Amino acid sequence: MSINYEKLQALSDLCTPWCLHTVGTLRIADYISEGISHIDDLAKASGSDAYTLQNVMRHLVNKGVFEETEPSRFALNEVSRGLLEPGFRPDLTGIFGRMAYAWGTLPTYVKTGASGYHEQFGLPFWEDLAANPDVGKSFDDLMGIAGHGVPDPHFPITGDWDAVQTVVDVGGGTGAMLAEILRTRPHIHGTLVDLPGTASRSAEVFQDAGVSDRVTVAGQSFFDPLPAGADIYLLKKVLGNWPDKEKKEILRRCAEAAHPSSRIVIMGGVTPDEEKHQLSIEMVLVGGKPIALSEFRDMAREVGLEITSTQQHGGFLVECQPV
């Protein structure tokens, strides 16, 4: 049996991703785009050691990321131009830094099934974000357009949207999705539920959408009792961020708050039974995982909910109602 050592070495190489994160953090691509090309000038602009930075740059040139147009002068190519995009740039500050370093806790997650994030940063993920507002804000920014995609308020529900008067967006971040729901349906009032630091950053989002007069902001944990009696409780990309025990508690809070004809709409975190799950950064950060539909059905029943519909709409959408 032959062994492809070259491929194995390439796959296990940690040098390249750390070089990318380093030049991303130092904004090297930005300086090059501004006309700075010589290594001495790049080092001065980025506050770096010229010899070390040049070694990093030459490693990335060999990997096809930059070009060395003449000795010690570097240029962007079609790969490194991607480093100019704020939503993509590898960065060791803010949430991107947390994600990069969190991979070092993967052995704990694999051995225990629980996140080892606290081993690296001293606190569990959500507590760390609350204790470090700058990191929390960078996470909120990521989970806006970059993290969730363009908000789509036209997701299907059973029945008629015209009959919906109230929507609670549970764990809705800074409100991008709820703002679009209200903007496209002037008869609906909404409530945003998220932790106080995140919820406090929603005012501008709602103001820009022109819906501030139809929104209530609840700065709280969704493990606490939720605003009661809404027609729809929306969980968009929430359940997959939590282990099963916490998933059940979130669903229980929705069931407790719902009236008999309320609907709980889950977008993300529940998958068709045949879908194969793969490792993701969310699993490493918080120990969360998606749940197969058959398992979710049992979990929902335990808290008094029944699945009423499932469908594909840019992802797998599940709707429940109180039993």
Side-chain angles (χ1 to χ4, degrees), residues 6-317:
E6 184 177 353
K7 184 173 183 180
L8 184 61
Q9 185 176 26
L11 289 172
S12 60
D13 169 39
L14 296 179
C15 181
T16 302
W18 281 105
C19 285
L20 277 170
H21 277 80
T22 298
V23 300
T25 304
L26 296 174
R27 299 182 63 247
I28 298 300
D30 298 79
Y31 292 128
I32 294 175
S33 73
E34 293 166 7
I36 302 173
S37 62
H38 194 276
I39 195 64
D40 291 337
D41 299 322
L42 288 170
K44 183 178 180 180
S46 62
S48 307
D49 177 78
Y51 173 78
T52 309
L53 179 60
Q54 180 158 268
N55 288 337
V56 169
M57 293 296 289
R58 283 178 172 163
H59 175 81
L60 292 174
V61 167
N62 289 336
K63 296 295 183 178
V65 180
F66 291 94
E67 294 178 4
E68 188 169 9
T69 54
E70 57 183 83
S72 299
R73 288 193 180 276
F74 297 90
L76 300 177
N77 59 13
E78 62 180 5
V79 177
S80 51
R81 275 190 285 273
L83 297 174
L84 300 173
E85 300 296 326
F88 173 78
R89 179 190 295 134
D91 195 338
L92 293 173
T93 62
I95 189 60
F96 292 105
R98 292 298 201 266
M99 290 191 293
Y101 286 108
W103 282 113
T105 69
L106 180 60
T108 295
Y109 177 57
V110 172
K111 288 192 289 185
T112 68
S115 170
Y117 183 93
H118 62 284
E119 299 173 350
Q120 179 71 38
F121 301 105
L123 292 169
F125 180 73
W126 301 111
E127 294 177 29
D128 180 41
L129 264 57
N132 295 277
D134 290 345
V135 179
K137 183 180 184 305
S138 68
F139 175 76
D140 292 338
D141 292 342
L142 175 65
M143 295 309 291
I145 298 300
H148 283 166
V150 177
D152 177 9
H154 301 292
F155 58 90
I157 60 171
T158 56
D160 194 336
W161 270 103
D162 291 341
V164 175
Q165 298 295 314
T166 50
V167 173
V168 174
D169 192 351
V170 181
T174 54
M177 181 66 163
L178 183 59
E180 285 302 297
I181 291 172
L182 301 184
R183 189 183 63 80
T184 56
R185 301 179 180 90
H187 67 286
I188 292 180
H189 285 68
T191 299
L192 174 69
V193 175
D194 214 305
L195 293 174
T198 296
S200 67
R201 292 190 281 273
S202 65
E204 184 176 352
V205 175
F206 293 130
Q207 183 175 352
D208 290 346
V211 299
S212 298
D213 59 334
R214 292 186 284 123
V215 178
T216 300
V217 176
Q220 64 164 84
S221 167
F222 44 50
F223 294 111
D224 295 329
L226 296 172
D231 296 322
I232 288 180
Y233 290 85
L234 176 62
L235 294 166
K236 182 178 182 184
K237 293 196 174 181
V238 169
L239 289 187
N241 290 334
W242 295 94
D244 288 350
K245 179 183 177 182
E246 285 78 6
K247 282 185 180 68
K248 188 183 297 185
E249 287 306 306
I250 296 168
L251 291 172
R252 191 186 309 278
R253 288 304 189 187
C254 290
E256 291 170 350
H259 59 68
S261 58
S262 296
R263 281 159 287 183
I264 292 83
V265 179
I266 296 103
M267 304 174 72
V270 183
T271 66
D273 287 335
E274 64 273 12
E275 184 171 314
K276 295 181 180 179
H277 299 165
Q278 299 184 46
L279 182 67
S280 68
I281 185 60
E282 292 84 2
M283 297 177 181
V284 179
L285 293 175
V286 295
K289 60 180 182 179
I291 184 171
L293 181 63
S294 56
E295 297 177 89
F296 177 77
R297 191 183 304 277
D298 293 338
M299 181 182 291
R301 284 173 178 163
E302 289 183 40
V303 300
L305 296 174
E306 192 74 34
I307 295 175
T308 54
S309 74
T310 64
Q311 51 193 307
Q312 291 286 346
H313 180 78
F316 195 57
L317 187 151

